[in-house]
């Protein structure tokens, strides 16, 4: 879709396009309400500024839509399709990495009470595992900030990819 096409979509259609990018409806509403955008750069600035309003309950809600790293998202929803596409680049085929990610996910969930979230696109499975192990040493406050940053990166990457044909 082009930015021009997005600008003229009915509000409900624009919201429907953005809603699966992150499970925070207020973000999608804020971005939709800021249309029309003069450039992709302006759209990205608005999208990023809208992420700055996220609070802890927003992030918890968004995490509920994310599968564990290394696990395939189930279902046919747009969210599941996006997640499968992002994790497909990991090419996790070594049993040692699979086992380490499963153990790390379990330890992370026990420590922080939420799913481990990281932008998978552009990262190797080894890099993700190293980040998981490093982040297990974070304080809860540090981890909350790092999780929010990863969610921002994922959301903005997905948003930008909506307009790859612009």
């Amino acid at each position: 879709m082009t930015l021009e096409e997005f600008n003229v979509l009915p509000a409900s259609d624009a919201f429907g396009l953005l809603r699966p990018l992150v499970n925070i409806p207020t973000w999608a509403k804020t971005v939709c309400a800021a249309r029309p955008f003069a450039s992709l750069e302006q759209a990205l600035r608005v999208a990023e500024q809208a992420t700055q309003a996220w609070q802890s309950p927003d992030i918890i809600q968004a995490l509920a839509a994310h599968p564990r790293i290394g696990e395939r998202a189930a279902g046919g929803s747009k969210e599941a399709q996006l997640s499968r596409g992002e994790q497909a680049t990991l090419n996790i085929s070594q049993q040692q990495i699979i086992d380490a990610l499963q153990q790390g996910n379990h330890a992370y969930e026990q420590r922080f009470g939420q799913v481990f979230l990281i932008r998978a696109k552009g990262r190797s499975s080894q890099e993700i595992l190293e980040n998981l192990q490093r982040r297990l040493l974070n304080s809860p406050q540090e981890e909350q900030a790092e999780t929010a940053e990863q969610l921002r990166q994922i959301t903005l990457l997905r948003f930008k990819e909506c307009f790859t044909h612009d």
Side-chain angles (χ1 to χ4, degrees), residues 50-81:
T51 69
Q52 300 305 313
W54 292 348
Q55 301 296 314
S56 183
D58 298 316
I59 293 168
I60 291 167
Q61 177 179 327
L63 290 176
H66 282 270
R68 289 179 183 93
I69 197 76
E71 293 181 2
R72 285 183 52 86
S77 70
K78 182 65 175 173
E79 293 95 333
Q81 291 171 4

Side-chain angles (χ1 to χ4, degrees), residues 63 66-70 82-83 85-90 115-129 131-132 134-135 143 146-161:
L63 290 176
H66 282 270
R68 289 179 183 93
I69 197 76
L82 287 167
S83 181
E86 291 157 356
Q87 288 201 39
T89 62
L90 294 180
V115 69
F116 171 70
L117 184 73
I118 189 167
R119 176 189 44 78
K121 192 161 193 164
R123 289 191 164 117
S124 70
S125 55
Q126 185 62 42
E127 185 180 356
I128 288 172
L129 181 58
N131 272 276
L132 173 55
R134 176 188 58 78
R135 286 173 55 186
E143 188 52 31
E146 199 154 350
T147 298
E149 176 56 28
Q150 291 301 307
L151 186 61
R152 282 183 191 94
Q153 288 181 24
I154 292 165
T155 302
L156 296 173
L157 184 62
R158 289 175 173 181
F159 180 68
K160 187 175 182 180
E161 288 175 347

Side-chain angles (χ1 to χ4, degrees), residues 71-124:
E71 293 181 2
R72 285 183 52 86
S77 70
K78 182 65 175 173
E79 293 95 333
Q81 291 171 4
L82 287 167
S83 181
R84 282 192 298 269
E86 291 157 356
Q87 288 201 39
T89 62
L90 294 180
N91 193 20
I92 301 172
S93 58
Q94 297 177 332
Q95 191 60 46
Q96 182 180 5
I97 297 285
I98 294 168
D99 292 345
L101 283 172
Q102 287 175 341
Q103 291 169 0
N105 280 330
H106 180 71
Y108 182 94
E109 290 171 18
Q110 291 295 308
R111 176 151 166 66
F112 296 111
Q114 65 187 31
V115 69
F116 171 70
L117 184 73
I118 189 167
R119 176 189 44 78
K121 192 161 193 164
R123 289 191 164 117
S124 70

